[in-house]
Amino acid sequence: MERTGPGLDPYTLRAVVELEVALEAGVAVDAAHAVVGDLALAAFGPGVFGAIGEALAEEGRPADEWAVLLADDALADRVLGRLHERTGDDAGEGELVWSAYPPGSSPGREGFRRAVRRRRENALTAAVLPRRHRVAGRRRRD
């Protein structure tokens, strides 16, 4: 099966690591996190974030200190090699993932843009208005 999209390369790994380090530092990177997270899942498959921690632990490094991958290229290459091995092992397994959309569909760019445009409005509304009570069942439409 031929892959399309992002590759299993050092640049993809570096983008994932840089973003996670920025998130730990408290930098606001909401949109970038969504894009790079999808890129990582497409390139390395489900469970990539746990796999990076496991690869670091196998190298004798703390599993939650990803910043060492930015400083040590040799370590990053070894971790990338472990991710390659893992991806080859998981190629036959079809892992199930939770998704808000049916298989083969997505909200597309327009849905993403709409969510970004309405983020501020929705945050203000949520801060001002009380929460609606959830009731089981459906609303009747007349």
Side-chain angles (χ1 to χ4, degrees):
M1 174 170 57
E2 187 175 313
R3 283 187 178 259
T4 59
L8 298 164
D9 58 23
Y11 303 108
T12 305
L13 177 63
R14 188 170 182 88
V16 171
V17 171
E18 285 179 353
L19 188 61
E20 289 299 318
V21 169
L23 283 171
E24 287 178 8
V27 177
V29 288
D30 294 339
H33 187 264
V35 171
V36 173
D38 290 346
L39 176 97
L41 289 174
F44 300 113
V48 61
F49 300 105
I52 292 173
E54 290 172 11
L56 281 171
E58 290 173 4
E59 289 288 330
R61 303 292 181 117
D64 59 345
E65 292 183 19
W66 290 19
V68 296
L69 293 171
L70 299 175
D72 188 352
D73 288 337
L75 175 64
D77 287 339
R78 291 192 303 272
V79 168
L80 184 62
R82 292 182 190 272
L83 290 174
H84 277 277
E85 291 171 8
R86 180 188 159 276
T87 304
D89 292 343
D90 291 347
E93 298 176 16
E95 290 192 37
L96 300 177
V97 296
W98 283 100
S99 176
Y101 306 99
S105 68
S106 71
R109 288 186 177 188
E110 184 55 38
F112 180 76
R113 288 183 187 135
R114 187 172 41 248
V116 169
R117 281 194 306 264
R118 294 182 182 168
R119 183 176 51 186
R120 180 177 168 87
E121 176 186 333
N122 290 339
L124 290 172
T125 302
V128 174
L129 297 178
R131 285 189 160 182
R132 295 185 337 197
H133 296 286
R134 295 190 182 256
V135 178
R138 297 182 183 193
R139 290 188 178 175
R140 192 170 117 191
R141 304 211 183 229
D142 295 325

